[in-house]
Amino acid sequence: MSSVSQSIASPVRHDWTEDEIAALFALPFNDLVFQAQTLHRQYFDPNEVQISSLLSIKTGRCSEDCGYCPQSAHHDSELESESLMALDEVVTAAKEAKEKGASRFCMGAAWRQPKDRDLQAVMDMVKAVKDLGMETCMTLGMLTKDQANSLKEVGLDYYNHNLDTSPEFYGEIISTRTYQDRLDTLKHVRDANINVCSGGIVGMGESRTDRVRLLQQLANQTKHPESVPINLLIKVKGTPLEDAPDLEPLEFVRSIAVARIIMPESHVRLSAGRESMSEEMQALCFLSGANSIFYGEKLLTTANPATSSDQQLFEKLGIRAV
Ligand code: SAM
Ligand code: DTB
Ligand code: SF4
């Protein structure tokens, strides 16, 4: 038996080697997708996709220099910045998302880390959105242990904090915070008993080995992130990555399939970049084990497919949104 098929026999592992993950990436496409879909069916209903809506609660002027991000103050992306939103505006947006069918509401802030004086305001947002009967997710940058505990106390369900890329490629993309800073935040979130949402971005000019190493970091956490967003870079004008080379579409599908195989209990989220994907490409991602998406016409600051086209796609594919 090859090492790849042995690993399929005991799927939930935390000791994936780079070679094993690279071997999955290198499988014939049909074999890879078949393995991913087979495993997917052991853990999930293959026709259900979880949907979350996003809201940017504080936009732009971020002190970090993430090369992909239109919200960084280091780049000139012509984005209008906005200070922290009022509670009633957040509640209105969450109600709207709920009416359109979203089960989880994810609030994002362009912060390096929340200041303690901002924390009470975001805690109030978590409480108010939970009162609507929705699951809550936040992505606010780095968190201290105490901040993670405070968010848990008000009932935050998920915290999103991405590793973004491999440890080796990371320095090409971000200089203002380290990979270890990100791992520390993930530990604070995990220790506070908040569900972890952590993934990365592909299509930033990284190599396949970088994609392997990103997925290896995620899969070898003591506990797999409950949610793993795989973002395809949105090339925003004015950011250093505006001219990044296109990622071969089937390489994106392979990345989804490998994430599914090595983190079989996690929701793999087909995240940013769907606007530039055909229906067929998205269908291939679902076939490869993606089982959640961001739903609603805007991600944080960039466009996402219209809800009506997502509804039509789900109907064509016989997918139920949950
Ligand atoms: N400031 C917080 C942070 O960095 O953790 C939260 C918001 S930040 C915008 C959330 C994530 O969005 C980033 O970690 C990155 O993975 C993703 N993202 C940002 N810009 C993107 C782009 N142009 N294309 C794809 N993903 C992007
Ligand atoms: C994630 O991994 N992707 C979402 C969410 N987590 C917060 C954000 C994507 C942002 C895309 C660029 C923008 O709209 O600003
Ligand atoms: Fe700031 Fe987050 Fe954008 Fe980085 S990804 S510049 S931390 S908003």
Side-chain angles (χ1 to χ4, degrees):
M1 204 189 259
S2 74
S3 63
V4 168
S5 36
Q6 272 165 7
S7 61
I8 297 303
S10 74
V12 184
R13 293 174 42 200
H14 305 268
D15 59 352
W16 287 93
T17 66
E18 186 181 325
D19 285 350
E20 284 175 313
I21 300 175
L24 288 171
F25 262 97
L27 282 171
F29 186 77
N30 287 346
D31 290 345
L32 175 61
V33 173
F34 181 73
Q35 284 194 22
Q37 176 63 205
T38 304
L39 206 44
H40 187 51
R41 284 168 182 261
Q42 290 171 24
Y43 289 87
F44 292 101
D45 180 327
N47 301 311
E48 267 184 7
V49 169
Q50 188 275 329
I51 60 177
S52 296
S53 286
L54 276 168
L55 177 70
S56 180
I57 57 170
K58 185 268 167 186
T59 307
R61 284 208 209 101
C62 182
S63 61
E64 302 284 305
D65 68 352
C66 313
Y68 48 75
C69 186
Q71 305 205 63
S72 167
H74 299 254
H75 323 316
D76 188 13
S77 64
E78 294 168 12
L79 179 76
E80 289 259 340
S81 55
E82 280 168 47
S83 48
L84 189 62
M85 240 183 205
L87 180 62
D88 60 330
E89 288 178 85
V90 174
V91 172
T92 304
K95 277 186 187 155
E96 214 174 286
K98 189 182 176 189
E99 275 159 25
K100 288 187 175 152
S103 57
R104 190 178 306 157
F105 195 62
C106 180
M107 294 159 268
W111 284 326
R112 171 175 168 76
Q113 59 195 124
K115 295 190 179 70
D116 282 335
R117 68 176 147 85
D118 291 321
L119 205 68
Q120 190 55 52
V122 297
M123 285 163 66
D124 291 344
M125 292 174 190
V126 173
K127 282 193 261 184
V129 174
K130 278 193 82 79
D131 284 347
L132 300 175
M134 297 183 88
E135 286 187 320
T136 49
C137 174
M138 287 212 147
T139 179
L140 313 170
M142 295 188 284
L143 288 188
T144 64
K145 202 174 173 46
D146 287 348
Q147 289 175 327
N149 288 333
S150 301
L151 290 168
K152 176 65 186 179
E153 269 165 37
V154 289
L156 182 69
D157 298 293
Y158 287 80
Y159 195 79
N160 166 244
H161 197 66
N162 292 336
L163 291 179
D164 278 348
T165 189
S166 68
E168 295 74 24
F169 191 64
Y170 184 86
E172 305 281 315
I173 305 295
I174 300 140
S175 78
T176 48
R177 85 164 59 135
T178 65
Y179 213 78
Q180 189 57 47
D181 289 332
R182 290 182 186 250
L183 292 168
D184 292 346
T185 291
L186 291 179
K187 180 168 183 346
H188 297 153
V189 172
R190 182 56 84 202
D191 288 350
N193 246 332
I194 299 171
N195 291 308
V196 172
C197 172
S198 187
I201 311 178
V202 297
M204 298 194 290
E206 77 286 342
S207 65
R208 177 181 274 182
T209 303
D210 292 311
R211 292 186 280 279
V212 167
R213 292 275 293 144
L214 164 67
L215 295 179
Q216 187 189 17
Q217 302 303 311
L218 294 166
N220 289 350
Q221 306 269 306
T222 317
K223 209 171 163 210
H224 293 166
E226 280 75 13
S227 165
V228 180
I230 306 294
N231 295 279
L232 176 63
L233 176 72
I234 299 176
K235 298 176 200 177
V236 183
K237 197 165 161 278
T239 63
L241 292 178
E242 67 174 311
D243 294 319
D246 283 338
L247 184 71
E248 211 283 299
L250 295 181
E251 181 69 9
F252 182 84
V253 180
R254 283 181 184 272
S255 307
I256 295 269
V258 173
R260 164 50 63 228
I261 292 169
I262 67 177
M263 291 172 278
E265 298 175 309
S266 306
H267 275 80
V268 174
R269 187 179 299 273
L270 170 56
S271 302
R274 287 196 303 115
E275 257 266 296
S276 66
M277 293 178 200
S278 67
E279 291 194 333
E280 294 85 343
M281 163 96 170
Q282 294 182 62
L284 268 181
C285 291
F286 295 132
L287 185 64
S288 303
N291 62 346
S292 61
I293 59 163
F294 288 116
Y295 177 74
E297 319 212 331
K298 212 168 171 197
L299 290 163
L300 288 171
T301 67
T302 60
N304 200 35
T307 46
S308 57
S309 41
D310 278 343
Q311 283 162 356
Q312 279 165 24
L313 176 61
F314 279 13
E315 202 159 304
K316 284 186 205 174
L317 299 176
I319 284 178
R320 283 180 306 279
V322 292

